[in-house]
Structure formats: structure tokens, C-alpha cells
């Protein structure tokens, strides 16, 4: 049996996934079924592009529902206040200094909520995983797609 992979989410992220799931179940699923029924009535099921498209839409909706249910069933909620006493963990906000003197700030989140352009990096990303468990003033080397970079931790919150 395959071990279920934990999904790290903030409360906000969990609410967002639950809202999406609710919309899919209560709105998108019935709409897809209705669309299939209309397409069948208009032209049967053979050589009917609208019917094929409606079936594909239904398959997408059902797949997304299963994915969301799986993720929600394996959620580990990231606490709002990190009590790790200066140790980088999922949920921490970390400021780092790179080799060129540039300062970046990241929030370490689960893969579902990651958005690097917004400063939200996954705990599974090269930088996120390298920072986990580290403390203020620690220096880390990170293998990235662009090569090895060195970072110094300036703040953990």
C-alpha cells in the first residue's frame, strides 16, 4: 500500500481548498452532468463533439474532486504562530542574505500553497528544504537549477 503524503497548509489554504471542493461538488459536477444530458438529447453520443467535450469536462471535475479530497485527508495545518524558538520550520518567515549581498524574505509553506513570486516557497523546494531546521546566522549552500548558492539566515519569525 502506498503511504499517503502529508499536505502542509495554512488555515487560509485549507479553507481555500475546502471552498474549491464545495464548488466542484455542488456546482461544477451537476453542471457537467446536465451538459452531458443536453448533448445526448441533441445528437446522441456518437460523433458528437459537444458530448465528448462535456465528458472530458466531467472527467476533469471528478479528477480534481478526488485530488482535493486526497489532499484534505492528509492535511497538516501549519500553526499561525511558529513556536520553534528561532528554528526554521514549515510556517516560518525567513530573511536571508545571498552571496551578492541581496536580501530576500520567504515564508516556508507546503507545496500546494507555494508561490515563489509572492515569496511563498515550498518546504520541498531546494531553498525551502535547505533552510528547514536551521537557525539565525546559519549559512547554507543550496543546489539550485542555476548552480550552488550560499545563503545566510538573517531572521526567523
Amino acid at each position: 500500500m502506498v503511504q499517503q503524503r502529508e499536505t502542509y497548509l495554512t488555515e487560509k489554504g485549507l479553507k481555500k481548498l475546502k471552498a474549491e471542493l464545495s464548488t466542484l461538488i455542488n456546482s461544477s459536477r451537476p453542471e457537467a452532468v446536465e451538459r452531458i444530458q443536453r448533448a445526448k438529447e441533441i445528437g446522441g453520443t456518437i460523433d458528437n463533439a459537444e458530448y465528448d467535450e462535456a465528458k472530458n469536462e466531467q472527467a476533469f471535475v471528478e479528477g480534481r474532486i478526488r485530488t482535493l479530497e486526497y489532499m484534505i485527508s492528509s492535511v497538516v495545518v501549519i500553526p499561525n504562530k511558529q513556536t520553534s524558538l528561532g528554528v526554521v520550520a514549515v510556517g516560518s518567515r525567513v530573511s536571508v542574505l545571498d552571496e551578492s549581498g541581496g536580501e530576500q524574505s520567504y515564508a516556508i509553506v507546503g507545496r500546494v500553497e507555494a508561490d515563489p513570486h509572492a515569496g511563498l516557497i515550498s518546504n520541498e523546494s531546494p531553498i525551502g528544504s535547505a533552510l528547514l531546521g536551521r537557525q539565525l546566522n546559519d549559512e547554507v549552500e543550496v543546489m539550485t537549477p542555476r548552480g550552488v548558492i550560499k545563503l545566510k539566515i538573517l531572521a526567523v519569525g
Side-chain angles (χ1 to χ4, degrees):
M1 179 173 223
V2 177
Q3 184 176 355
Q4 192 164 354
R5 186 174 172 187
E6 293 176 329
T7 303
Y8 290 94
L9 288 171
T10 60
E11 281 289 338
K12 181 179 176 183
L14 180 57
K15 285 180 186 174
K16 187 176 176 182
L17 283 188
K18 285 182 176 180
E20 181 183 354
L21 179 59
S22 178
T23 299
L24 288 170
I25 290 172
N26 298 314
S27 180
S28 300
R29 179 187 270 167
E31 287 171 8
V33 169
E34 182 179 318
R35 194 166 163 217
I36 290 169
Q37 189 59 40
R38 278 196 318 266
K40 277 174 141 178
E41 290 170 359
I42 293 170
T45 61
I46 299 172
D47 293 329
N48 183 339
E50 190 170 329
Y51 174 79
D52 291 340
E53 186 179 319
K55 288 296 283 182
N56 288 336
E57 178 185 339
Q58 181 188 37
F60 173 80
V61 168
E62 293 301 327
R64 184 65 181 159
I65 288 171
R66 281 192 301 278
T67 298
L68 291 173
E69 288 174 338
Y70 176 82
M71 286 192 293
I72 290 169
S73 73
S74 64
V75 163
V76 174
V77 177
I78 301 167
N80 288 337
K81 290 286 184 183
Q82 201 54 272
T83 58
S84 60
L85 301 174
V87 176
V88 178
V90 178
S92 296
R93 176 148 297 278
V94 183
S95 294
V96 296
L97 185 67
D98 65 28
E99 305 166 294
S100 63
E103 189 175 329
Q104 280 87 38
S105 182
Y106 304 111
I108 311 292
V109 297
R111 67 186 180 282
V112 175
E113 290 182 281
D115 181 359
H117 297 293
L120 303 172
I121 61 171
S122 167
N123 61 310
E124 299 173 9
S125 70
I127 293 174
S129 62
L131 292 173
L132 290 176
R134 302 302 184 115
Q135 300 177 28
L136 183 65
N137 294 319
D138 280 358
E139 294 183 10
V140 296
E141 288 188 359
V142 182
M143 176 56 81
T144 70
R146 294 183 180 164
V148 176
I149 61 171
K150 293 179 183 178
L151 303 172
K152 180 177 181 178
I153 299 175
L154 300 176
V156 179

